[in-house]
Amino acid sequence: MAGKTFEVAVVGRGMMGSACAWFLAEAGVNVLLVGQSEPVDRKKHDGVFASHHDDTRIARIVDPNPVKAWLSHRALPQIRHLENLTGEKILHDVGHLWLGPAEEVAVMAASDQNLNLGCQQFSPEEVAQEFTALSPPADLPGIFQATGAGHIDPRAYVRAEGAAAEQAGTTVVDALVGAVKEQNGNVTLETSAGEFAAQRVVLATGPFFAYGDTPANQLDLTVGTRTIIHFELSTEEAQRLAGLPSIIVKTEDKDRSFYVLPPKPQPDGRTIMKVGITRERKHLSPSQIADWFRSDGDLAMEPHQKQLLFDFIPNLKVLGSRTAPCVTTYTETGHPIIDNLTDRVSALIAGNGYAAKCASALGELAANRLLGKPWPTEINQQLFQRP
Ligand SMILES: Cc1cc2nc3c(=O)[nH]c(=O)nc-3n(C[C@H](O)[C@H](O)[C@H](O)COP(=O)(O)OP(=O)(O)OC[C@H]3O[C@@H](n4cnc5c(N)ncnc54)[C@H](O)[C@@H]3O)c2cc1C
């Protein structure tokens, strides 16, 4: 590879970067996809981490935000295509239940109609009647998407995107990128696997956007440090709760809003169910973010977070639990930056907590932009531009 100049180098083998590489390679572009793999031991890892190092993320199309609904609708056939192409199981169609304010349910019902999703709406009483294992908040109506929703396996999604990119001719390199510099009409990438050159570079580095010497380290983005609680269930409890969809509960009191990932069998035979909450956003340096990823998350919030699930699922019996840290990256517009940072370097950064379910659609937007294709009229490009 020494001496070779790629047409495009994508930095970050995560959810959005791998998709971008795939779409570029499918279009005949000579692509380098370079990024670090998941750490073997996160507590001792000294490089970068990722937002997708997990086995479940909520997937749904129905959304109070029409841009997100459009993107997830766009991603669904891409996910099915990736599954067929690679044999990876990405989407687990267990359905999604969203409980929240009536005004937002009404907006979601409109997106349900526009996109023909076949959702069901429930009054608060109907939610309790329909989902008998739950004790939902008495004042929240709901909307339920039965197909094309549930949860995705983000690791499988990334593996499939990477495999599809490779099948289409992408060169994939496992390396830490320390610098991305424009030099002599090209861009040089200094990495732990040596130096590479490309005509254009896409930075898709997730929460580590400010790592190293790259044009993205000037971006003023915030991050949310999140703690997910993994509950291990007995076989009987897993059977009792087997039909549960993925669930989001959005209450007026932000501290009582949470999401639930239903029981999922693990390769080691255990069954795990997860609960998470969204906390405030802040500015953190790459080394502070790395410290968070090496930690066990916010242990002070753990009892409250556990109680949310115990209140929601009465008589829940768990064999044990553990906490895991993660980080989401945010912009002011609430959407990723898909825009130039310099003449030759662009960004595909900041999933804003929603990029897992529509990563391929976001990667496609970034790829098509580089290919000079028109931006889709259904979504406002300004939302994706650099401030
Ligand atoms: C707890 C939690 C729950 C979430 N729940 C949902 C959900 O239910 N639904 C949903 O849609 N989304 C959810 N998200 C958000 C979703 O996971 C992220 O938006 C998505 O993973 C972002 O993808 P990305 O490609 O931007 O970043 P990442 O997946 O983090 O990928 C970035 C990649 O870049 C690599 N990298 C970074 N810097 C360098 C460097 N210098 N050199 C080499 N490689 C580098 C990293 O190793 C990583 O592989 C959740 C996130 C968290 C943390």
Side-chain angles (χ1 to χ4, degrees), residues 200 338-341 346-347 364-373 375 381:
R200 309 279 299 266
I338 302 180
D339 199 1
N340 282 359
L341 297 173
S346 56
E364 183 189 28
L365 284 179
N368 282 349
R369 202 183 138 272
L370 282 195
L371 294 167
K373 293 191 183 173
W375 188 269
Q381 188 171 6

Side-chain angles (χ1 to χ4, degrees), residues 58-364:
I58 289 177
R60 64 193 158 108
I61 296 173
V62 69
D63 200 294
N65 182 312
V67 173
K68 296 180 187 175
W70 187 87
L71 286 164
S72 301
H73 188 251
R74 175 92 191 141
L76 183 60
Q78 296 169 338
I79 291 172
R80 303 274 193 226
H81 179 51
L82 281 171
E83 288 183 327
N84 289 335
L85 204 62
T86 64
E88 292 284 357
K89 176 74 181 152
I90 302 171
L91 177 64
H92 298 259
D93 268 280
V94 297
H96 176 74
L97 175 66
W98 195 92
L99 303 176
E103 319 80 78
E104 291 193 40
V105 170
V107 177
M108 291 166 94
S111 85
D112 165 35
Q113 286 219 320
N114 286 342
L115 299 169
N116 201 15
L117 305 175
C119 293
Q120 271 177 284
Q121 273 179 259
F122 295 118
S123 67
E125 299 74 32
E126 287 166 338
V127 174
Q129 283 159 15
E130 193 71 25
F131 300 93
T132 50
L134 307 181
S135 172
D139 56 341
L140 295 184
I143 186 160
F144 178 64
Q145 184 186 343
T147 53
H151 50 88
I152 53 157
D153 180 337
R155 287 194 184 101
Y157 202 166
V158 168
R159 276 197 306 271
E161 290 171 337
E166 247 183 318
Q167 278 175 34
T170 298
T171 301
V172 179
V173 172
D174 182 355
L176 182 63
V177 178
V180 172
K181 294 177 184 164
E182 291 198 26
Q183 274 169 352
N184 310 323
N186 269 332
V187 191
T188 305
L189 294 91
E190 293 169 15
T191 86
S192 56
E195 220 171 79
F196 297 90
Q199 291 166 17
R200 309 279 299 266
V201 169
V202 180
L203 296 172
T205 41
F208 284 86
F209 64 91
Y211 182 92
D213 182 6
T214 83
N217 60 22
Q218 302 305 323
L219 291 172
D220 181 25
L221 305 179
T222 52
V223 294
T225 49
R226 299 217 197 163
T227 306
I228 312 145
I229 303 188
H230 298 214
F231 291 97
E232 185 180 347
L233 304 184
S234 66
T235 312
E236 301 75 51
E237 197 64 336
Q239 275 165 2
R240 179 173 82 90
L241 302 173
L244 279 186
S246 65
I247 305 169
I248 290 177
V249 179
K250 186 174 175 189
T251 56
E252 221 169 87
D253 175 1
K254 275 192 169 173
D255 285 340
R256 297 202 64 79
S257 294
F258 58 97
Y259 63 88
V260 177
L261 284 151
K264 183 179 180 194
Q266 304 293 302
D268 63 7
R270 294 175 310 140
T271 299
I272 301 293
M273 180 173 196
K274 298 179 190 169
V275 63
I277 55 176
T278 303
R279 304 297 310 284
E280 77 283 1
R281 300 157 190 196
K282 46 197 166 190
H283 287 95
L284 291 181
S285 67
S287 66
Q288 287 172 313
I289 295 173
D291 283 343
W292 173 263
F293 271 108
R294 280 186 287 264
S295 78
D296 289 322
D298 186 348
L299 297 180
M301 284 301 286
E302 186 187 359
H304 168 70
Q305 202 168 323
K306 280 182 170 172
Q307 197 56 47
L308 289 172
L309 191 67
F310 289 126
D311 291 346
F312 190 57
I313 306 181
N315 308 316
L316 177 67
K317 292 182 193 67
V318 302
L319 298 177
S321 68
R322 72 173 181 90
T323 55
C326 195
V327 172
T328 43
T329 315
Y330 297 96
T331 56
E332 285 291 320
T333 65
H335 298 281
I337 297 176
I338 302 180
D339 199 1
N340 282 359
L341 297 173
T342 69
D343 285 348
R344 292 183 175 274
V345 181
S346 56
L348 170 56
I349 291 175
N352 282 272
Y354 79 85
K357 57 185 162 292
C358 54
S360 47
L362 290 162
E364 183 189 28

Side-chain angles (χ1 to χ4, degrees), residues 29-88:
V29 177
N30 175 20
V31 184
L32 168 71
L33 174 61
V34 55
Q36 212 171 28
S37 295
E38 181 165 351
V40 179
D41 180 349
R42 75 177 167 85
K43 298 243 172 189
K44 293 186 182 148
H45 181 64
D46 192 25
V48 293
F49 298 78
S51 300
H52 73 268
H53 293 160
D54 201 346
D55 74 337
T56 35
R57 291 278 181 266
I58 289 177
R60 64 193 158 108
I61 296 173
V62 69
D63 200 294
N65 182 312
V67 173
K68 296 180 187 175
W70 187 87
L71 286 164
S72 301
H73 188 251
R74 175 92 191 141
L76 183 60
Q78 296 169 338
I79 291 172
R80 303 274 193 226
H81 179 51
L82 281 171
E83 288 183 327
N84 289 335
L85 204 62
T86 64
E88 292 284 357

